[in-house]
């Protein structure tokens, strides 16, 4: 990319005021390009549009993950403002942790850049050779829709940024548009982007026609949800019922059924144009093949590339753009940071291989909770005894097999005495005792599994899926269930289950709805879906408000058995498993209905006196 130096939100225009000669005054400073020059050159214009994607930042690969604000995970390290959200203490002065891809000022900064691009590309000063103007304009229009949708699903309706505001406009006095106006604006942008991009082949990491149509599907299924139907939401929440500006958080008129039909139609367009990966099966995949297929989808490899509709890609040779997901979330016994660790509530929602529910009251399940689970379980988590990569050379003697150790075990020392061995991946680890899971689990999904890949030393190139095909399938299933089309919903839900190696479901009515909720929970785990789904379905009080939990594991040597170096081995050990709650002193989870939205910060309210605060946060 050619270098472009920015001044604020626009491109710098160099104004030199010295007493030197005219030739010097007319010299273009190295490293700077005038704004007018950018829009006369196709290459510079493309560089500007390329920079719009920087608003996506690291995607969902931040050290703190949105999953730790849900019943998927808990964040291991204190002092990051995550507890402010999970304990329902968010307020306009301290909203709690919110990353740059959901941050109000960041999104408006990005929106200003998109509007500069759209305004200039709408009156192009260079030839539309090969349709480059249409492509760049389509990409900029898509990104404007994307940034608006990020604001909408976190804050409700917001002031629309539909043009590049000038300095003499009262830009800080714009009121919030209505929820319906924002939805309609985003959809119109996505329709336009899809049309502009329809004749262009997809470019990895850039907006394309299918991405625009898929995002439209997401926006419309969100809009149809109970949280945004004010009659339904008010009946389920006193906070919403008492809010005086309901038009800012949902639809105060119109038919929810019609909104679901629009969402269904939008999803079906995508399903007719794309196919995803291995969603044409008529029977369940064999278990091992299902594990590998799911891993391929999450790694975007070996067929999994077909799942990716719109992703954020990384290059290991450019550390500032490399993924550090393995370092951030891998086990401490591998010298990683154990950041966002899965909780037992999530683990228990993964079914058995035969499609039955896991049940701690079932003695067979409770005595071996990690055996015979569905394929996605093994592709998603690292758990006691799970095979993983080789330890560092300094620690391979402690664990020659490369197995995850999250319990405490008996071993026999050189004197023949039984002593306690603390697992290498616990908070009592002899390798690192400060980074370690409180829950007894680690994340495997999105982490480079190559045994030669050392997470601390190399930036992985696994992309972040902003939108993947299976999400659109779920949107279609959800709309069909809402409209009473159970057979069509089951047909597509079972395509996902077959790929996961699970038998078909024959559920209907409320049972089908519950099966859908759980299917999406385990399929889309750690993809920033649960945070929004639990809210828009209004199941957050019963799900996100639950106290986080984990597992305590003890391995006792069987009579006559001896091991001096621990390994997971049921022939040598009797294992006991006990579900434990996370100490409330670390995180005491609570749900209050104000948490359906993030508060608009005090600074923004002070800057713009026409903003109206979200329900539950006061004026």
């Amino acid at each position: 990319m050619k270098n472009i130096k920015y001044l604020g939100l626009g491109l710098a225009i160099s104004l030199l005021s010295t007493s030197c000669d005219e030739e010097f005054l007319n010299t273009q400073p190295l490293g700077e390009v005038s704004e007018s020059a950018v829009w006369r050159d196709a290459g510079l214009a493309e560089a500007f549009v390329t920079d719009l994607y920087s608003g996506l930042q690291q995607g969902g690969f931040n050290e703190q993950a949105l999953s730790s604000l849900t019943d998927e995970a808990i964040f291991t390290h204190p002092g990051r403002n995550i507890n402010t959200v999970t304990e329902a203490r968010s307020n306009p002065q301290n909203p709690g942790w919110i990353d740059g891809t959901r941050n109000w000022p960041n999104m408006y900064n990005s929106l200003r850049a998109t509007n500069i691009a759209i305004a200039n590309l709408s009156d192009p000063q260079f030839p539309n050779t090969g349709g480059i103007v249409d492509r760049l304009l389509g990409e900029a229009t898509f990104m404007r829709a994307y940034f608006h949708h990020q604001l909408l699903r976190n804050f409700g309706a917001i002031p629309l940024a539909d043009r590049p505001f000038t300095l003499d406009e009262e830009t800080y006095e714009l009121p919030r548009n209505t929820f319906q106006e924002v939805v309609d604006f985003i959809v119109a942008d996505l329709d336009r982007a899809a049309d502009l991009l329809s004749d262009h082949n997809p470019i990895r990491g850039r907006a394309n026609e299918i991405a625009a149509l898929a995002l439209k599907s997401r926006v419309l299924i969100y809009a149809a949800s109970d949280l945004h139907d004010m009659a339904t939401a008010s009946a389920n929440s006193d906070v919403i019922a008492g809010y005086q500006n309901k038009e800012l958080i949902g639809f105060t008129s119109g038919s929810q059924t019609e909104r679901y039909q629009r969402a269904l139609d939008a999803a079906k367009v995508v399903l007719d144009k794309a196919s995803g990966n291995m969603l044409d099966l008529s029977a369940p995949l064999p278990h091992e093949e299902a594990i590998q297929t799911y891993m391929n989808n999450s790694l975007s490899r070996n067929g999994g590339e077909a799942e990716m509709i719109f992703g954020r890609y990384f290059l290991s040779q450019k550390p500032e753009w490399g993924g550090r997901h393995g370092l951030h979330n891998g086990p401490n016994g591998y010298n990683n940071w154990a950041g966002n660790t899965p909780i037992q509530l999530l683990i228990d929602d993964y079914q058995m291989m035969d499609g039955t529910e896991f049940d701690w009251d079932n003695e067979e399940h409770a005595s071996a909770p990690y055996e015979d689970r569905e394929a996605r379980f093994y592709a998603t988590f690292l758990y006691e005894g799970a095979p993983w990569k080789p330890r560092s050379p300094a620690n391979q003697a402690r664990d020659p097999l490369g197995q995850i150790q999250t319990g405490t075990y008996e071993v026999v020392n050189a004197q023949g005495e039984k002593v306690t061995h603390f697992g290498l991946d616990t908070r009592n680890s002899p390798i690192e005792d400060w980074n370690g899971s409180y829950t007894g689990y680690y994340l495997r999904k999105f982490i480079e599994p190559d045994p030669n890949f050392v997470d601390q030393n190399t930036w992985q190139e696994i992309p972040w899926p902003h939108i993947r095909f299976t999400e659109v399938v779920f949107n279609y299933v959800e709309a069909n269930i809402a409209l009473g089309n159970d057979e069509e919903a089951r047909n597509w839900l079972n395509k996902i289950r077959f790929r996961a190696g699970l038998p078909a479901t024959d559920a209907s009515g409320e049972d089908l709805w519950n099966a859908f909720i759980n299917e999406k929970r385990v399929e889309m785990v750690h993809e920033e879906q649960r945070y929004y789904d639990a809210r828009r379905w209004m199941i957050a009080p019963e799900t996100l408000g639950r106290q986080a939990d984990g597992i305590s594991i003890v391995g006792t040597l069987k009579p006559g058995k001896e091991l001096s170096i621990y390994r997971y081995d049921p022939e040598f050990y009797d294992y006991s498993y006990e579900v434990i709650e996370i100490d409330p002193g670390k995180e005491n989870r609570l749900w209050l209905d104000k948490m359906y939205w993030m508060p608009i910060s005090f600074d923004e309210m002070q800057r713009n006196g026409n903003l109206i605060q979200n329900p539950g946060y006061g004026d």
Side-chain angles (χ1 to χ4, degrees):
M1 185 193 303
K2 299 178 182 178
N3 288 326
I4 300 177
K5 180 177 282 188
Y6 289 90
L7 176 61
L9 294 169
L11 286 166
I13 301 175
S14 178
L15 299 176
L16 301 178
S17 55
T18 70
S19 58
C20 301
D21 60 41
E22 184 177 350
E23 182 180 356
F24 177 80
L25 288 173
N26 290 332
T27 298
Q28 179 75 31
L30 295 175
E32 297 185 11
V33 179
S34 70
E35 182 173 5
S36 60
V38 167
W39 303 111
R40 293 195 303 268
D41 182 278
L44 292 176
E46 179 156 18
F48 188 101
V49 171
T50 298
D51 195 65
L52 299 179
Y53 294 95
S54 64
L56 300 172
Q57 299 189 18
Q58 297 290 312
F61 289 151
N62 292 290
E63 183 181 351
Q64 295 97 264
L66 202 58
S67 59
S68 288
L69 275 63
T70 74
D71 55 352
E72 289 183 339
I74 186 171
F75 190 66
T76 300
H77 313 296
R80 307 291 183 89
N81 257 341
I82 284 180
N83 291 24
T84 304
V85 179
T86 57
E87 296 175 357
R89 293 187 282 109
S90 296
N91 61 78
Q93 291 277 24
N94 181 16
W97 176 75
I98 182 167
D99 75 289
T101 66
R102 302 183 297 130
N103 174 281
W104 181 290
N106 280 20
M107 290 298 95
Y108 274 104
N109 286 347
S110 294
L111 281 168
R112 175 166 171 76
T114 64
N115 281 319
I116 290 172
I118 290 168
N120 284 281
L121 291 166
S122 296
D123 183 21
Q125 304 301 305
F126 55 87
N128 191 23
T129 305
I132 188 171
V133 173
D134 291 342
R135 178 172 66 80
L136 296 179
L137 182 57
E139 290 184 32
T141 304
F142 172 88
M143 293 307 297
R144 182 169 72 176
Y146 187 89
F147 296 136
H148 272 117
H149 125 277
Q150 282 290 84
L151 287 164
L152 179 68
R153 65 178 180 164
N154 284 282
F155 297 98
I158 35 83
L160 284 170
D162 57 357
R163 62 193 186 280
F165 297 105
T166 60
L167 292 177
D168 58 354
E169 290 184 276
E170 295 181 356
T171 57
Y172 294 128
E173 295 302 315
L174 291 174
R176 297 170 71 176
N177 288 80
T178 67
F179 190 89
Q180 180 168 355
E181 287 170 343
V182 179
V183 169
D184 290 345
F185 182 84
I186 294 172
V187 169
D189 263 359
L190 292 171
D191 283 340
R192 186 185 185 207
D195 183 60
L196 288 164
L197 295 167
S198 61
D199 293 331
H200 298 272
N201 293 326
I203 302 172
R204 193 178 74 163
R206 302 182 80 98
N208 56 74
E209 178 194 15
I210 301 299
L213 296 172
L215 183 56
K216 176 181 175 180
S217 164
R218 178 192 289 175
V219 170
L220 289 177
I221 198 67
Y222 276 40
S225 304
D226 283 353
L227 179 63
H228 303 303
D229 182 74
M230 287 298 95
T232 304
S234 296
N236 287 283
S237 170
D238 291 340
V239 168
I240 296 174
Y243 189 52
Q244 298 302 306
N245 302 99
K246 294 183 179 65
E247 72 282 357
L248 301 179
I249 55 174
F251 294 88
T252 57
S253 62
S255 166
Q256 188 179 21
T257 298
E258 291 178 1
R259 291 192 285 274
Y260 271 119
Q261 186 62 52
R262 287 188 72 196
L264 185 150
D265 293 342
K268 188 62 165 60
V269 170
V270 179
L271 301 190
D272 289 343
K273 285 178 173 285
S275 58
N277 184 35
M278 298 192 72
L279 285 170
D280 57 353
L281 302 168
S282 57
L285 281 177
H287 192 246
E288 290 301 320
E289 187 177 350
I291 293 173
Q292 190 59 53
T293 298
Y294 189 74
M295 287 182 61
N296 290 341
N297 287 345
S298 67
L299 300 174
S300 197
R301 297 175 188 164
N302 302 317
E305 302 92 334
E307 273 288 299
M308 187 71 77
I309 290 178
F310 181 57
R312 185 69 165 153
Y313 291 80
F314 306 96
L315 297 174
S316 61
Q317 64 266 35
K318 290 185 176 292
E320 68 273 19
W321 293 112
R324 304 307 308 272
H325 195 60
L327 173 64
H328 293 161
N329 296 286
N332 60 318
Y334 286 80
N335 304 106
N336 296 315
W337 298 351
N340 305 275
T341 55
I343 64 177
Q344 192 67 47
L345 291 167
L346 173 64
I347 298 295
D348 292 348
D349 281 344
Y350 283 75
Q351 295 180 339
M352 306 302 291
M353 282 175 56
D354 62 3
T356 59
E357 302 300 318
F358 175 83
D359 185 0
W360 281 106
D361 292 330
N362 181 315
E363 184 176 348
E364 186 177 347
H365 294 181
S367 63
Y370 310 134
E371 293 184 9
D372 299 324
R373 302 296 288 271
E374 65 140 292
R376 290 172 295 195
F377 173 86
Y378 300 102
T380 303
F381 305 114
L382 295 174
Y383 51 89
E384 165 64 28
W388 194 225
K389 296 186 279 190
R391 304 272 177 181
S392 68
N395 293 304
Q396 283 187 19
R398 290 184 165 121
D399 172 28
L401 300 179
Q403 295 177 332
I404 298 299
Q405 301 180 11
T406 57
T408 58
Y409 325 96
E410 288 183 338
V411 295
V412 176
N413 65 15
Q415 289 74 42
E417 303 167 328
K418 288 184 179 180
V419 295
T420 297
H421 168 71
F422 293 103
L424 302 181
D425 306 303
T426 68
R427 294 191 67 81
N428 292 307
S429 170
I431 297 174
E432 286 187 7
D433 61 2
W434 59 94
N435 287 327
S437 173
Y438 286 96
T439 69
Y441 299 100
Y442 294 93
L443 191 64
R444 176 173 182 164
K445 186 174 182 179
F446 296 132
I447 295 179
E448 176 57 66
D450 184 342
N452 298 311
F453 186 96
V454 180
D455 297 311
Q456 302 80 44
N457 301 337
T458 313
W459 283 256
Q460 64 181 41
E461 296 188 358
I462 297 167
W464 170 258
H466 284 288
I467 309 173
R468 69 179 175 102
F469 185 81
T470 303
E471 178 191 345
V472 183
V473 176
F474 279 121
N475 295 345
Y476 184 67
V477 171
E478 181 177 347
N480 272 294
I481 294 174
L483 295 170
N485 305 328
D486 284 8
E487 183 176 357
E488 181 72 352
R490 276 194 303 271
N491 177 42
W492 282 90
L493 196 62
N494 285 332
K495 291 176 185 289
I496 298 171
R497 289 178 63 80
F498 288 162
R499 187 176 66 187
L502 292 170
T505 180
D506 60 0
S508 60
E510 185 176 356
D511 289 340
L512 180 59
W513 174 249
N514 291 331
F516 157 75
I517 287 177
N518 194 72
E519 197 68 36
K520 188 174 184 186
R521 170 162 165 74
V522 300
E523 170 75 24
M524 306 296 290
V525 65
H526 284 265
E527 294 187 39
E528 298 193 340
Q529 300 281 330
R530 183 69 169 180
Y531 179 91
Y532 299 106
D533 286 345
R535 285 167 165 78
R536 65 188 183 85
W537 295 332
M538 300 192 78
I539 63 171
E542 297 81 36
T543 56
L544 305 192
R546 296 178 291 177
Q547 183 64 9
D549 57 0
I551 196 77
S552 173
I553 303 170
V554 176
T556 305
L557 279 166
K558 292 181 176 181
K561 299 290 187 178
E562 292 186 4
L563 279 179
S564 59
I565 299 175
Y566 175 72
R567 67 174 185 266
Y568 176 76
D569 193 337
E571 291 189 10
F572 277 73
Y573 284 92
D574 290 318
Y575 291 94
S576 65
Y577 304 87
E578 179 186 1
V579 177
I580 56 170
E581 278 198 351
I582 299 301
D583 182 356
K586 174 172 177 52
E587 185 168 288
N588 190 21
R589 294 192 170 187
L590 173 69
W591 176 264
L592 297 177
D593 282 359
K594 68 176 184 177
M595 300 305 297
Y596 281 120
W597 299 269
M598 293 300 292
I600 301 174
S601 74
F602 178 78
D603 289 344
E604 295 298 333
M605 297 290 291
Q606 289 289 99
R607 189 176 293 119
N608 183 350
N610 286 327
L611 291 179
I612 296 172
Q613 186 56 266
N614 278 327
Y617 294 106
D619 296 328

